[in-house]
Amino acid sequence: MNNITLPSPHKILQVVHETNAEYTFRVACDDQVDHGQFYVLSIPKIGEAPISVSAQGPGYVEFTIRKVGRLTDGIFGMEQGDTLFMRGPYGNAFPVESFKGKDLVVFAGGTGLAPVRSMLQYFCSHPKEVSSVHVVAGFKDRSCVLFEKDLEQFKSVFHTIYTLDNTKAPGFETGFVPSFAKEIPFDTFSDYNVVIVGPPVMINLTAKECVKLGVPEEKIWVSFERKMSCSVGKCGHCKINETYVCLEGPVFNYVKAKELLD
């Protein structure tokens, strides 16, 4: 019997410095991972943390990590060839099969772009599998922009809006992600889905803006990685009312997610 809480060692294949605060680690792994799932990464005697998969390919997965605590400080000191421990994958995923043949709208705020990156990469490589893709990606300022090569590639295939919160830069709008919901031509879509990922406040405000524009709640999907810890439903750290986010999420339909946002 497999022990789902037992970490296994994996070699770091590459480290990309996305920004001063975010690094992407490519790790050797042969798992089959669905878009939106996550792993728990760990360093012995230091700690562990749940991190979404930001990309995947033959023999590897990638994690884009923000430096915010003791564990991430330790991971940021690791280099190509070092060993990182991980367990997973955990959680459910975006219903990508049900997105096919329809229009797709993705709103992402900051590091919220990471959990949807692999899905966007897939549709960028298989554009005929969706009717259209609209992406609104927002960042605090120019120094916080992630996945620059991906953003350029997405721009060549998708309808894109890239924005900075309060500053100006070439190729970027100025403003917060929720304010750009009105730029999406929802009334021209015959069937569509909306994905929203980012800080809870951003998710909440963007979803409400979409609903105001006539988007049915059941067409909205969010990734809600609130306070997850053990990731197997034992510690209760992520529990909201009767819902264990790590078990029933992190992807939720907004019909349920609106009761979980805080």
Side-chain angles (χ1 to χ4, degrees):
M1 180 183 296
N2 291 331
N3 184 344
I4 61 172
T5 66
L6 183 65
S8 60
H10 294 262
K11 184 178 180 180
I12 296 175
L13 302 176
Q14 183 183 29
V15 181
V16 177
H17 295 193
E18 303 283 356
T19 71
N20 288 335
E22 289 105 355
Y23 291 3
T24 293
F25 294 81
R26 176 172 291 190
V27 181
C29 180
D30 292 319
D31 293 343
Q32 177 62 47
V33 184
D34 294 327
H35 304 293
Q37 289 189 299
F38 67 96
Y39 283 79
V40 175
L41 308 186
S42 61
I43 300 176
K45 299 182 180 181
I46 293 182
E48 62 178 15
I51 305 291
S52 294
V53 173
S54 62
Q56 56 184 292
Y60 73 86
V61 292
E62 291 185 0
F63 303 96
T64 301
I65 302 172
R66 184 175 178 81
K67 191 176 184 181
V68 294
R70 187 181 176 197
L71 175 73
T72 52
D73 284 349
I75 292 177
F76 269 46
M78 303 182 83
E79 301 176 347
Q80 180 178 338
D82 289 343
T83 298
L84 182 63
F85 286 79
M86 47 194 266
R87 55 185 175 89
Y90 296 120
N92 62 0
F94 294 108
V96 171
E97 288 301 314
S98 70
F99 293 169
K100 294 180 179 180
K102 305 173 184 177
D103 296 284
L104 176 64
V105 181
V106 176
F107 295 94
T111 53
L113 186 58
V116 295
R117 181 187 176 211
S118 68
M119 179 178 69
L120 290 174
Q121 287 177 333
Y122 176 81
F123 283 128
C124 194
S125 299
H126 303 82
K128 293 183 180 180
E129 293 193 10
V130 281
S131 296
S132 72
V133 178
H134 289 71
V135 179
V136 180
F139 307 91
K140 182 179 180 181
D141 55 44
R142 189 65 183 80
S143 69
C144 296
V145 176
L146 297 169
F147 313 129
E148 302 235 18
K149 290 182 180 179
D150 291 276
L151 293 179
E152 284 301 312
Q153 189 172 14
F154 296 161
K155 186 186 295 186
S156 69
V157 179
F158 303 150
H159 305 276
T160 58
I161 298 174
Y162 302 146
T163 182
L164 307 176
D165 289 352
N166 296 302
T167 57
K168 296 181 179 180
F172 291 85
E173 304 288 338
T174 300
F176 295 97
V177 169
S179 65
F180 291 93
K182 63 181 181 295
E183 304 296 326
I184 306 301
F186 291 112
D187 58 349
T188 68
F189 301 154
S190 59
D191 198 359
Y192 62 94
N193 287 277
V194 176
V195 171
I196 308 172
V197 187
V201 171
M202 171 262 172
I203 293 175
N204 193 18
L205 293 176
T206 306
K208 288 180 177 178
E209 285 300 312
C210 289
V211 171
K212 286 180 184 178
L213 293 167
V215 178
E217 293 181 348
E218 62 270 17
K219 291 184 179 293
I220 301 173
W221 302 86
V222 306
S223 182
F224 190 45
E225 300 173 11
R226 179 190 184 274
K227 299 179 180 178
M228 290 192 294
S229 184
C230 76
S231 302
V232 293
K234 300 299 183 182
C235 72
H237 201 247
C238 68
K239 189 177 181 183
I240 306 176
N241 299 323
E242 299 304 316
T243 299
Y244 287 85
V245 174
C246 67
L247 295 181
E248 298 185 42
V251 175
F252 290 94
N253 187 269
Y254 184 65
V255 172
K256 177 158 186 146
K258 67 180 180 180
E259 306 297 331
L260 305 177
L261 293 166
D262 61 357

